[in-house]
């Protein structure tokens, strides 16, 4: 039976493990926050399930949690060399630099090289939104999707994200992979013995397939065909080509490559709302926009028109109260790492199951 | 029989018509360039076919080609009030302001309010690319697509565009509507009596339809479902909500609304490559990236892996030589406007048909 964990206690557990694995207390807290935030928002694919691989890469010296990052600021533009630190530690630093530049200049751009998998983009957007800054966050990723017309993975499912504050609504948070679906959905179909819809994936020979097992040997397709392919490329151009980081095949797979660091790149663009209009006026305007969309007539069977980030916001409210349910496999992995570092996962259990 | 027109002469014809319709010589040239550039690139939907509606809106005083635009610069951020000038005149001004700010500060943002339909985004990107500036251009548009779960148009097919210079390759130019397909493709299917694939459109009651005539009475669907819906919204938030322009239902349809100006908003973000690395290094890196993508193994039947902007670049080379072929309807409309303003379309014909 799966069990539920208290989010604060589970965050403390993760912080403790990462601290004992060699991260500073502050950095361990950042990593733990990023993971738990994903679970709270219902994006379990980027939650504590990733602890295992992060810890293993630290252990195998594929990540160097004590390296000093290098910051070069030139006016509104900052180049951050992550020096192969933990991805979310680098991401948080980039976000802080982007916020500082944006507040000073009206806009701020931070390009990041030499990074690792940095969790969900939404984690960084939320910090910007608290400060009434509109922000884009992009990251490249290791090869998963073929170019349009190709048959094997070349580009990553490079995430595209954007956040804006609101008045009475949950913040507007768009955080999406540029693939048609998350690979996790194909894994789920496989586990259930179900087929997948045409258009999700190619088999290893580059043919369209509805067979989940063949799809897992092949590649995930970009969203909306050539449009998703192009969006993924632009993210690679900004995050990888322009920053001096890896791009295309030079972004290494964190599960498969145990020789080289990942060399992921990220790209942050901040925009100061107050340069356009008072923040409260903006918030009234965006609320009006969202009110009007939500009031649109709905298809039969649809209860509500949702705005990006709304489902995740509700999940967060709910899971803060009810706890975070962990699959048995994830619980087992955390328990094992807990033993290695002498931290007890049982203490993080939600009292009422 | 359709006929081919010389691109330079056709541009001169358009310039002459728009000048006689009340635009300054310089502005008339900008509008003509923007239209012809679209035709050259093969994007005929945004080419001289639009002259008719632009001229009609000028004639009906729905556009005010002699209004003075108002520029407010605050550091890296510029707010441009287009004052209901011609869209492409406003767009060009915005692009110039964005380039100037980017060169001065490393990044430059221009939000535009009070504008009109401004043609293809690619026209502006090309200018930025010539100056080795990476640029995003967004625009909102009048209501065409339902929100996910909705049944009638609320958001526009708000275009998303991005350009970056290259070394040996054609420039990287992504310029796409956030809809699954252009409405023009549905019109084409209707004209041929063909059905359309599921997923392109809803009928007027909000049901999925493969009947092109029902689709034309209904609404075009966003690309990639909720992802396209969210992308279209973010463009509206930047171009409309943040700039103080129209958004959602406050962006008026240029074909249907003869009472109010369109009040379209645009958003430009420029990034100076040289703040990250020498431009020639960037160009070598992006060439390597594109070389590697193009060398990927291809699906059977696919001759070549293409990069965004490549087809349009080739079209431009070809049409500069071979001329621009105009549908009879468009030729007729141009001829009529030519008569009104005493400009002879026949003189723009390509000598060899």
């Amino acid at each position: 039976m799966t069990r539920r964990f208290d989010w604060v206690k589970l965050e403390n557990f993760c912080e403790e493990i990462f601290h004992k694995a060699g991260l500073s207390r502050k950095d361990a807290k950042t990593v733990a926050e990023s993971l738990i935030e994903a679970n709270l928002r219902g994006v379990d694919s980027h939650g504590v399930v990733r602890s295992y691989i992060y810890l293993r890469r630290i252990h195998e010296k594929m990540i160097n949690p004590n390296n000093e990052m290098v910051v070069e600021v030139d006016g509104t533009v900052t180049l951050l060399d992550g020096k192969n630190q933990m991805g979310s530690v680098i991401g948080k630093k980039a976000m802080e630099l982007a916020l500082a530049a944006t507040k000073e200049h009206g806009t701020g751009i931070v390009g990041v090289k030499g990074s690792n998998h940095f969790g969900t983009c939404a984690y960084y957007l939320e910090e910007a939104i608290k400060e009434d800054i509109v922000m884009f966050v992009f990251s490249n990723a290791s090869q998963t999707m073929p170019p349009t017309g190709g048959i094997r993975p070349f580009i990553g499912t490079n995430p595209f994200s954007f956040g804006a504050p609101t008045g009475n609504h949950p913040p507007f948070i768009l955080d999406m992979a540029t693939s048609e679906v998350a690979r996790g959905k194909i894994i789920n179909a496989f586990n259930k013995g179900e087929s997948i819809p045409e258009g999700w994936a190619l088999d290893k020979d580059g043919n369209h397939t509805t067979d989940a097992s063949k799809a897992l040997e092949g590649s995930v397709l970009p969203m909306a065909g050539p449009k998703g392919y192009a969006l993924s490329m632009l993210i690679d151009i900004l995050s990888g080509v322009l920053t001096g980081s890896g791009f295309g095949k030079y972004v290494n797979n964190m599960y498969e490559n145990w020789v080289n660091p990942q060399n992921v790149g990220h790209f942050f663009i901040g925009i100061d709302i107050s340069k356009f209009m008072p923040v409260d006026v903006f918030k009234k305007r965006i609320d009006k926009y969202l009110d009007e969309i939500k009031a649109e007539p709905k298809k039969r069977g649809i209860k509500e028109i949702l705005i990006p980030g709304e489902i995740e916001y509700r999940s967060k409210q709910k899971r803060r109260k009810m706890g975070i349910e962990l699959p048995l496999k994830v619980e087992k992995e955390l328990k094992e790492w807990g033993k290695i570092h002498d931290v007890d996962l049982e203490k993080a259990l939600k009292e009422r199951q």
Side-chain angles (χ1 to χ4, degrees), chain A:
Chain A
M1 278 293 289
T2 56
R3 300 191 294 172
R4 281 181 291 114
F5 292 81
D6 178 88
W7 76 276
V8 176
K9 292 176 186 168
L10 190 58
E11 191 172 300
N12 290 341
F13 170 84
C14 290
E15 179 185 329
E16 210 54 38
I17 287 191
F18 279 98
H19 181 48
K20 292 206 169 153
L23 274 68
S24 72
R25 176 61 67 185
K26 181 172 166 252
D27 290 351
K29 193 174 168 56
T30 298
V31 176
E33 268 178 13
S34 148
L35 296 171
I36 297 297
E37 186 63 23
N39 283 120
L40 286 174
R41 290 171 55 82
V43 187
D44 293 324
S45 59
H46 287 64
V48 295
V49 65
R50 301 282 181 163
S51 303
Y52 170 79
I53 189 68
Y54 289 174
L55 289 162
R56 218 184 125 202
R57 286 189 80 82
I58 295 168
H59 188 254
E60 299 287 336
K61 311 241 183 301
M62 287 292 108
I63 295 176
N64 306 105
N66 292 306
N67 281 358
E68 279 289 314
M69 294 182 255
V70 178
V71 179
E72 289 172 50
V73 180
D74 186 352
T76 61
V77 173
T78 302
L79 179 60
L80 174 63
D81 184 344
K83 294 285 180 187
N84 200 36
Q85 255 273 17
M86 283 293 296
S88 41
V89 173
I90 297 171
K92 191 173 183 190
K93 178 77 180 169
M95 182 271 298
E96 288 165 356
L97 290 165
L99 284 182
T102 303
K103 285 178 189 171
E104 189 177 343
H105 304 289
T107 62
I109 285 189
V110 180
V112 183
K113 65 179 176 180
S115 188
N116 285 291
H117 188 271
F118 77 163
T120 58
C121 298
Y123 172 64
Y124 312 105
L125 294 177
E126 288 196 313
E127 292 301 308
I129 286 166
K130 278 181 205 158
E131 313 249 356
D132 290 331
I133 300 294
V134 167
M135 198 173 269
F136 285 97
V137 178
F138 308 120
S139 179
N140 61 14
S142 57
Q143 300 183 299
T144 322
M145 310 194 296
T148 298
I151 60 175
R152 65 175 189 188
F154 184 91
I155 41 176
T157 57
N158 306 342
F160 180 105
S161 77
F162 172 85
T166 54
N168 300 320
H169 286 273
F172 182 96
I173 296 185
L174 159 59
D175 182 7
M176 68 185 192
T178 43
S179 52
E180 185 67 25
V181 290
R183 200 162 181 272
K185 285 201 183 173
I186 301 174
I187 296 174
N188 284 349
F190 173 73
N191 288 338
K192 292 182 190 165
E194 292 171 358
S195 65
I196 56 169
E198 174 104 15
W200 281 17
L202 301 181
D203 66 19
K204 67 179 164 37
D205 302 316
N207 304 306
H208 279 269
T209 184
T210 56
D211 181 328
S213 68
K214 287 184 179 169
L216 291 176
E217 291 166 1
S219 49
V220 182
L221 282 167
M223 63 188 264
K227 294 187 180 189
Y229 158 55
L231 271 180
S232 173
M233 282 181 83
L234 98 78
I235 294 170
D236 218 359
I237 290 170
L238 290 178
S239 307
V241 178
L242 181 58
T243 63
S245 202
F247 53 80
K249 65 181 169 187
Y250 309 106
V251 178
N252 296 309
N253 187 302
M254 72 171 161
Y255 293 97
E256 291 165 12
N257 187 321
W258 295 94
V259 178
N260 299 111
Q262 277 201 274
N263 206 16
V264 172
H266 318 303
F267 206 80
F268 291 65
I269 304 174
I271 302 162
D272 184 352
I273 292 169
S274 70
K275 292 278 179 181
F276 286 95
M277 59 182 63
V279 171
D280 62 324
V281 174
F282 174 81
K283 288 184 177 173
K284 275 181 196 146
R285 286 172 64 85
I286 195 167
D287 275 358
K288 184 175 166 71
Y289 183 56
L290 303 178
D291 285 343
E292 288 176 357
I293 285 188
K294 290 191 72 73
E296 276 295 288
K298 292 175 283 292
K299 257 190 225 182
R300 190 184 299 192
I302 297 285
K303 281 191 190 143
E304 186 182 3
I305 289 178
L306 293 161
I307 61 168
E310 199 163 18
I311 291 174
E312 294 82 2
Y313 180 85
R314 290 180 192 166
S315 165
K316 190 166 166 176
Q317 312 307 312
K318 190 178 163 198
R319 292 189 176 188
R320 278 184 156 178
K321 269 193 209 152
M322 305 295 292
I324 294 166
E325 189 176 331
L326 294 183
L328 290 176
K329 184 169 174 286
V330 176
E331 183 179 330
K332 189 164 165 277
E333 285 170 1
L334 288 179
K335 202 170 275 175
E336 279 168 15
W337 280 105
K339 269 185 199 154
I340 292 170
H341 293 302
D342 197 25
V343 197
D344 188 3
L345 182 64
E346 291 297 309
K347 289 185 182 160
L349 273 176
K350 191 83 183 163
E351 280 169 25
R352 292 195 180 186
Q353 286 294 323

